[in-house]
Amino acid sequence: MNVHLREIKAAALAMLIIVGLCVNSSRAHAAETETLVVAGGCFWCVESDFEQVKGVIAAESGFTGGAVENPSYKQVTAGGTGHFEAVQIIFDPAQVSRAQLLHLFLRSVDPTDAGGQFCDRGDSYRTAIFVTDPAQKQIAQSAITKAQAALGRDIVTPILDAQTFYPAEAYHQDYYKSSEIVLTRFGPRTKAKAYKLYRDACGRDARVQELWGKDAPFTSGS
């Protein structure tokens, strides 16, 4: 009986050790991640682009930079809230750096356009990079300087102090790969198909390819 009890206790102790190791591993992984918030026009497109990048753990569509708490998509796109459509990118800096992500970002948008992006016009569709401290600001400024030199044109994408990031409604998350059916001007389509039709019609990839050529990271021609 005593031997059996000792075996039970030993098994329970082993299980507790395993659970503890898993919890510590999870905490360590969480501590190793970093966040980058950028605005690049339609957040569906930015989310789609950056979820392809090795080292990016997640990309979430949302809003930031405005004065209204927890705004809706309808409020932001109507104008007047001051928000940008933005994407919060969670990444593993051991696999991809902030500088590398910003290099990709600036070459995936039209950073010379101060009035919006591609077919989407207005303040909520402007580009921006959001930073939380001087070190992040320096990295962002270096990325802009290098992109400007490579492009040979003035870049108007601002570096702004980070504000609260509000996730967009569930409807907008992972839009580009969703099989949910929505009604479009072309008739019923999956969100994934509707997204592709929108992106093509908006001219995003065509303009990015025109600007950046082989350096455009997410277009079919790169």
Side-chain angles (χ1 to χ4, degrees), residues 38-46 61-66 72-87 105 108-130 156-158 160 168-169 171-172 195 198 202 204:
V38 292
C42 171
F43 49 27
W44 298 341
C45 298
V46 180
S61 293
F63 314 106
T64 194
S72 68
Y73 177 79
K74 186 175 181 179
Q75 284 177 298
V76 172
T77 55
T81 70
H83 289 89
F84 293 77
E85 278 199 19
V87 171
F105 168 69
S108 68
V109 295
D110 180 354
T112 69
D113 187 349
Q117 285 292 285
F118 318 107
C119 67
D120 294 316
R121 314 311 301 166
D123 289 350
S124 64
Y125 292 109
R126 292 170 297 156
T127 61
I129 298 168
F130 298 89
V156 299
T157 300
L160 304 175
E169 297 90 335
Y171 175 87
H172 296 287
Y195 163 76
Y198 154 76
C202 199
R204 187 182 187 101

Side-chain angles (χ1 to χ4, degrees), residues 112 145-155 211-212:
T112 69
T145 299
K146 291 176 181 177
Q148 190 161 274
L151 192 60
R153 296 176 59 179
D154 288 341
I155 285 178
L211 273 175
W212 293 105

